[in-house]
Amino acid sequence: MPLTVFAPIDGAVVPLEQVPDPVFSERMLGDGVALDPAGDTIYAPIDGKIINFNKALHALVIAQNGIEILIHVGLETVSLKGEGFTPLVKEGETVKKGQPLLKFSHTALAKAASSLIMLVVTAPADTKVQGTAPEITKTGEPLFQVCVSGEQTTANLSQTFTQGGPFTVLNSNGLHARPAGVLARLAAAYAYPVQICCGDKSTDAKSVVGIMGLALEYNSQVTVKAGGPTSEAKTFLTQVEKAFQNAFGEKGANLSIPTENKKTPLDFSAGAEVSGLCACGGLANGQAFLFKPADAQYEENATNPQEELKALSTALEAETAETQAKIAAEPHKTSQDILAAHLALLQDPLMHQTALEAVSRGKTASYAVNEAVRTSIDILKKTKNRFLMERIADIKDLRRSLLWRLSGQKYALPKLPKGCILIAEELLPSEVSHLAGLAAGVLLAHGSPTAHAGILLRNMGLPAIVNAGEDILQIPSGTPVLLYADEGKAVINPTKEQLKDFAATNQKEQALLQEASTQAQEPALTSDGVHISVQGNVSSPQEAALAVQHGAEGLGLVRTEFLFNNRADTPGETEQQAVYQETLNACRDMSATFRLLDAGGDKPLPFVNILPEDNPIVGVRGIRAFKRNEDFFRTQIRAVLQTAPLNQVRIMLPMVTFAEEIIFFKKLIAQEAEQLGIKEPVQIGAMIEVPSAALTSGQLARHADFFSIGTNDLTQYTLAIDRGHKELSAQADPLHPAVLKLISLTSQGAKKYNRPVAVCGAMAGDLAAVPFLIGLGVSELAVGVKNIAQVKALIRRVSHKKCEELAAQALELTSAQEVRALGRKYIALS
């Protein structure tokens, strides 16, 4: 008779092979599933006995009739040493299905390598689970079944054993589930019985639970006994010895005792530097203020479900009305778009349904909102799509607002000292607007420059560094902090000399800004007379007008997908043409480069048909989406072609990899122009975003009228670093010599056919990078509105000949840091 195992918590079901730990994904401990939790309490999945409860409280084993099920909360959670875990039962206790076993804190779990909860059948060995539940499951619903064969082998305890050891446990957290699983797997591959002994305790080394039950800690001494022929036993024990010496594959675990195994925290009292990613450039000086927003408190279980249902409906209606009013009153298009995204979340049917189901189960409206939000976050996490996961902050923002509304209290942000450097784990979009006129700068432990909070910080012009690491949360409030946001550097508790240097840099920066502003409308000529066209990089007609006001000599990139990024329906030809015309009108008599739809990867759009992919960054993006979206591409091309005057219009193809793609689209555009009766030619260019395009730029230049280098993507594809990666993104610097080499090759290829080369990525507005771009042959720079005047002013100070010498020198350097230092030195001297 199969045993049904029930879900111990609400959550999304994740196949075990997707768990980022081979001990689970390769089923070293046994077969089972993982759950991405929506709650905070583990309930018994079966009737049984708690035969093991790890001392770190993150894992327990429940057994029934010889079947043992390990419940393991998170990855690397053993290192928390019980922090954030509250046991509700004891080892040895008999429990009933549905009985609460363990409560955990999601805040604590956030420190782990993963928040997944694994349910693994550890005994009998090699047991397979069947009938796994669908994608989303609720507590108490069937999760899987365990079918056990009646044939069980028993060890021949009367045979002779060969003893090995003593062996020392070198794992800083002892033999917890992972190393215990590795040892059990090693023993299971041996044909004879194996026992592991510590003091007067011994157990079957083929049992994960048995090994964990010995509670072996760092430096514990054990012996291992192997049955079978002596020669085979000795060979096996040699393997065991090596496994102990290698700490069962836990890197670095044998280098130090537990208290020393963690990264040494920075001593901010003595002064320190931290680095992260620039969300908005600039300099800032102020005292640290640790920002810790409060959440509204609520009960889980309702006393009157009907009242809770009414409260939920009222709160959603009020939040919707308030958001609509904010959209109507907001003058900035970007902020309107972000508010529109919040409105779409409020109207999301999945969130509504999940919340209503929770209320129907007797939960409070507040608990229902929290559960609905967690379910939505789980779904976004499972996409593994960086852009979608960045929207998690928007959902959290909605959650906080609704919870405070339901509590009947007004959410009040902590009072900020004027001129402070705000330090926080992350910022939600609604919190950013409250910083204006108060914070001098922002330093965040997490976050991304492309998240909504990062976009809003740039719109405000507030110097900000994100993804600086959790160490910064230990900076005491009141500590002096200097932000060099363009460099992604923060100096904590600076010395007098550092303060003096900062003041001098800031004074020079302000003088340059003033000079740049007064000369913004003048052309950008190098000191030896070479013209570099500085154009706008925009996503709306309003932004286009601002770019021209700030001195843009046209629009080097109009990101058309952002014109329609908060709607579910496909924009029609007439609607698109009107927006494109408004954008071109803002240019006066200058040109505008309209990039065709660049959706997919990290920029999904609801109305674009792109199937889910395991690795969307290298999947269907840009013009690769044509096959499934031909109607949209043709509609967009017709809309652009009808924008007048056409001699000011350029069309740019995103994600070009092959020359035949340019040829195909040129024919397609010609067909649409012929059908519209348009005889005037239009320039068609290619974005250089992948290394293959740069390497074959000479061939591409035969067919493209111009190139525009998308350095954001070119950098991530060249260095194989996702620019949104939490750990690696700080290393994705476009000034790496490999990226510069590809830019150089692109310019050389373009030169054969006299094609202009532009740069439209963030690198174009990076002052330290501008001299190198000029020296590598780039003649156009498409930059954000706030950077136009600064970039033009810098160009006037540099020599084109000197830039060429610098670029040649940079190509011979070994790192982005060396190149960046060279660029800064030249700028300082110019």
Side-chain angles (χ1 to χ4, degrees):
M1 187 75 180
L3 171 68
T4 299
V5 178
F6 297 87
I9 195 168
D10 295 356
V13 178
V14 178
L16 212 56
E17 54 267 24
Q18 292 184 16
V19 176
D21 187 327
V23 168
F24 291 103
S25 61
E26 296 177 13
R27 291 173 168 76
M28 294 182 186
L29 301 176
D31 197 16
V33 300
L35 290 168
D36 201 347
D40 61 2
T41 303
I42 302 292
Y43 297 88
I46 57 172
D47 295 339
K49 183 177 181 180
I50 306 299
I51 62 171
N52 180 265
F53 211 132
N54 191 282
K55 66 176 184 177
L57 306 178
H58 68 297
L60 58 93
V61 179
I62 183 170
Q64 180 192 121
N65 298 329
I67 296 175
E68 299 173 358
I69 297 172
L70 167 70
I71 303 176
H72 195 287
V73 182
L75 295 178
E76 307 293 353
T77 38
V78 64
S79 62
L80 298 177
K81 302 191 183 305
E83 178 192 346
F85 294 95
T86 305
L88 305 177
V89 293
K90 296 179 181 178
E91 188 173 309
E93 193 172 331
T94 300
V95 297
K96 289 287 188 183
K97 179 183 79 69
Q99 181 177 335
L101 304 179
L102 174 66
K103 195 173 181 68
F104 60 88
S105 160
H106 277 278
T107 302
L109 212 57
K111 302 175 184 177
S114 171
S115 60
L116 293 176
I117 294 174
M118 279 61 70
L119 267 79
V120 174
V121 181
T122 56
D126 299 323
T127 299
K128 300 298 181 186
V129 305
Q130 299 177 352
T132 303
E135 192 172 85
I136 303 294
T137 189
K138 300 288 184 185
T139 304
E141 292 182 352
L143 186 61
F144 59 75
Q145 289 188 325
V146 180
C147 295
V148 183
S149 169
E151 298 178 10
Q152 298 294 325
T153 59
T154 57
N156 181 3
L157 300 179
S158 62
Q159 66 180 290
T160 302
F161 283 83
T162 303
Q163 180 170 305
F167 305 127
T168 303
V169 175
L170 298 176
N171 302 71
S172 60
N173 292 305
L175 291 196
H176 56 98
R178 182 187 295 105
V182 175
L183 176 56
R185 187 76 165 235
L186 180 62
Y190 184 61
Y192 303 96
V194 182
Q195 292 183 320
I196 180 170
C197 311
C198 182
D200 58 356
K201 295 180 182 178
S202 65
T203 190
D204 182 358
K206 300 185 180 187
S207 166
V208 177
V209 176
I211 297 170
M212 291 195 298
L214 292 177
L216 298 173
E217 299 180 345
Y218 174 80
N219 263 342
S220 290
Q221 299 282 309
V222 302
T223 55
V224 176
K225 298 177 180 179
T230 303
S231 59
E232 292 184 38
K234 286 183 176 180
T235 301
F236 167 71
L237 290 171
T238 300
Q239 295 175 336
V240 171
E241 181 179 16
K242 289 179 180 178
F244 270 95
Q245 290 173 346
N246 190 38
F248 299 97
E250 291 196 333
K251 293 181 181 179
N254 59 334
L255 299 180
S256 60
I257 61 175
T259 54
E260 297 171 347
N261 195 44
K262 294 182 180 180
K263 175 184 168 185
T264 304
L266 294 170
D267 182 5
F268 294 116
S269 64
E273 287 189 12
V274 296
S275 61
L277 301 176
C278 174
C280 179
L283 299 169
N285 178 8
Q287 292 188 343
F289 177 77
L290 194 57
F291 180 72
K292 293 181 179 178
D295 266 344
Q297 300 300 307
Y298 59 87
E299 296 293 330
E300 177 178 345
N301 297 310
T303 54
N304 188 332
Q306 287 303 315
E307 285 296 320
E308 296 299 325
L309 195 60
K310 182 179 177 182
L312 178 62
S313 178
T314 301
L316 288 170
E317 288 175 6
E319 191 75 19
T320 298
E322 185 176 305
T323 305
Q324 288 172 332
K326 286 179 179 177
I327 292 172
E330 176 56 57
H332 297 105
K333 177 69 165 58
T334 305
S335 298
Q336 286 178 353
D337 290 343
I338 292 170
L339 286 167
H342 282 211
L343 184 62
L345 288 172
L346 274 167
Q347 298 167 341
D348 185 84
L350 175 62
M351 290 185 68
H352 277 227
Q353 187 60 35
T354 306
L356 290 172
E357 286 178 1
V359 172
S360 69
R361 298 198 314 270
K363 304 300 182 183
T364 63
S366 295
Y367 183 90
V369 165
N370 194 56
E371 183 168 310
V373 165
R374 287 201 182 281
T375 300
S376 297
I377 289 174
D378 289 338
I379 291 170
L380 291 185
K381 283 181 176 177
K382 287 179 68 177
T383 67
K384 299 181 182 178
N385 183 298
R386 177 177 60 82
F387 181 88
L388 291 178
M389 289 193 288
E390 285 176 358
R391 302 289 81 82
I392 287 173
D394 299 334
I395 301 177
K396 289 180 179 178
D397 212 349
L398 173 62
R399 168 188 172 274
R400 178 176 293 163
S401 183
L402 283 171
L403 289 180
W404 278 102
R405 191 179 292 278
L406 286 164
S407 75
Q409 304 173 56
K410 186 164 182 175
Y411 171 53
L413 282 167
K415 190 173 181 181
L416 302 183
K418 192 164 185 179
C420 70
I421 303 296
L422 183 139
I423 295 175
E425 186 172 358
E426 67 177 346
L427 273 181
L428 302 181
S430 64
E431 294 165 341
V432 175
S433 60
H434 296 280
L435 306 183
L438 292 173
V442 172
L443 180 61
L444 300 182
H446 303 302
S448 162
T450 54
H452 279 164
I455 294 168
L456 292 173
L457 287 166
R458 276 196 297 283
N459 286 351
M460 292 172 61
L462 194 61
I465 298 171
V466 300
N467 202 23
E470 294 200 351
D471 276 348
I472 67 167
L473 302 178
Q474 306 306 315
I475 299 173
S477 287
T479 303
V481 177
L482 305 177
L483 290 188
Y484 295 85
D486 289 292
E487 302 175 33
K489 181 179 78 172
V491 180
I492 318 301
N493 223 346
T495 63
K496 288 182 180 179
E497 194 62 33
Q498 286 173 321
L499 285 168
K500 184 179 177 182
D501 290 344
F502 178 88
T505 302
N506 191 40
Q507 184 177 7
K508 183 178 179 181
E509 187 77 17
Q510 293 305 314
L512 290 172
L513 285 172
Q514 181 62 34
E515 180 187 352
S517 179
T518 57
Q519 299 179 6
Q521 298 299 329
E522 300 297 320
L525 299 172
T526 63
S527 61
D528 46 359
V530 177
H531 179 237
I532 305 295
S533 180
V534 180
Q535 304 184 15
N537 181 333
V538 305
S539 57
S540 71
Q542 295 84 355
E543 206 174 353
L546 279 174
V548 173
Q549 289 173 24
H550 281 74
E553 302 173 43
L555 302 178
L557 173 61
V558 180
R559 293 170 285 169
T560 60
E561 66 278 359
F562 286 96
L563 298 171
F564 310 105
N565 69 343
N566 283 311
R567 57 186 293 162
D569 59 318
T570 306
E573 183 178 324
T574 302
E575 181 183 1
Q576 288 193 55
Q577 194 278 329
V579 177
Y580 301 151
Q581 188 65 60
E582 185 182 357
T583 303
L584 185 62
N585 290 346
C587 291
R588 301 168 188 167
D589 59 349
M590 296 176 288
S591 66
T593 303
F594 293 92
R595 179 173 67 188
L596 292 187
L597 179 75
D598 191 17
D602 57 352
K603 290 176 284 192
L605 288 176
F607 54 82
V608 178
N609 182 14
I610 295 177
L611 299 176
E613 299 178 278
D614 290 337
N615 194 352
I617 296 297
V618 290
V620 177
R621 299 184 59 189
I623 57 173
R624 296 176 179 180
F626 174 82
K627 186 176 180 180
R628 290 181 175 272
N629 299 274
E630 180 175 350
D631 288 345
F632 179 87
F633 274 99
R634 287 185 178 274
T635 299
Q636 185 180 34
I637 288 167
R638 287 196 300 272
V640 174
L641 288 172
Q642 294 174 80
T643 305
L646 194 56
N647 63 0
Q648 288 178 221
V649 172
R650 301 199 304 181
I651 296 176
M652 185 155 67
L653 309 177
M655 203 64 183
V656 169
T657 311
F658 310 107
E660 48 264 39
E661 292 171 329
I662 304 175
I663 297 169
F664 172 83
F665 269 89
K666 287 183 77 172
K667 288 181 179 178
L668 181 69
I669 291 167
Q671 289 172 5
E672 295 299 333
E674 184 178 359
Q675 290 180 14
L676 290 168
I678 296 173
K679 296 182 179 180
E680 190 175 358
V682 62
Q683 287 200 341
I684 301 168
M687 283 196 77
I688 307 298
E689 301 171 271
V690 296
S692 61
L695 292 168
T696 58
S697 57
Q699 294 92 313
L700 298 183
R702 295 175 194 164
H703 310 286
D705 295 313
F706 63 93
F707 286 152
S708 187
I709 304 173
T711 50
N712 297 351
D713 277 329
L714 184 61
T715 301
Q716 77 170 343
Y717 291 131
T718 302
L719 303 182
I721 295 176
D722 184 338
R723 62 184 191 235
H725 195 284
K726 276 189 174 182
E727 294 180 25
L728 302 177
S729 56
Q731 299 176 46
D733 192 327
L735 282 177
H736 190 284
V739 181
L740 298 182
K741 181 67 173 176
L742 291 175
I743 295 172
S744 175
L745 289 173
T746 301
S747 294
Q748 291 172 33
K751 193 174 182 180
K752 292 180 182 178
Y753 296 89
N754 199 28
R755 309 300 192 202
V757 177
V759 167
C760 61
M763 189 181 187
D766 183 344
L767 298 183
V770 168
F772 299 113
L773 294 176
I774 294 171
L776 291 170
V778 172
S779 58
E780 299 176 14
L781 299 172
V783 304
V785 172
K786 293 185 181 297
N787 288 347
I788 293 170
Q790 276 184 283
V791 171
K792 292 179 79 172
L794 174 61
I795 291 169
R796 297 186 194 105
R797 287 163 33 213
V798 302
S799 155
H800 189 272
K801 184 178 179 182
K802 180 62 178 177
C803 287
E804 288 181 328
E805 293 173 3
L806 279 175
Q809 189 177 344
L811 291 173
E812 300 301 319
L813 296 177
T814 58
S815 70
Q817 291 84 352
E818 290 178 329
V819 176
R820 193 165 287 280
L822 178 65
R824 288 190 184 125
K825 182 179 179 182
Y826 177 57
I827 291 172
L829 295 173
S830 300

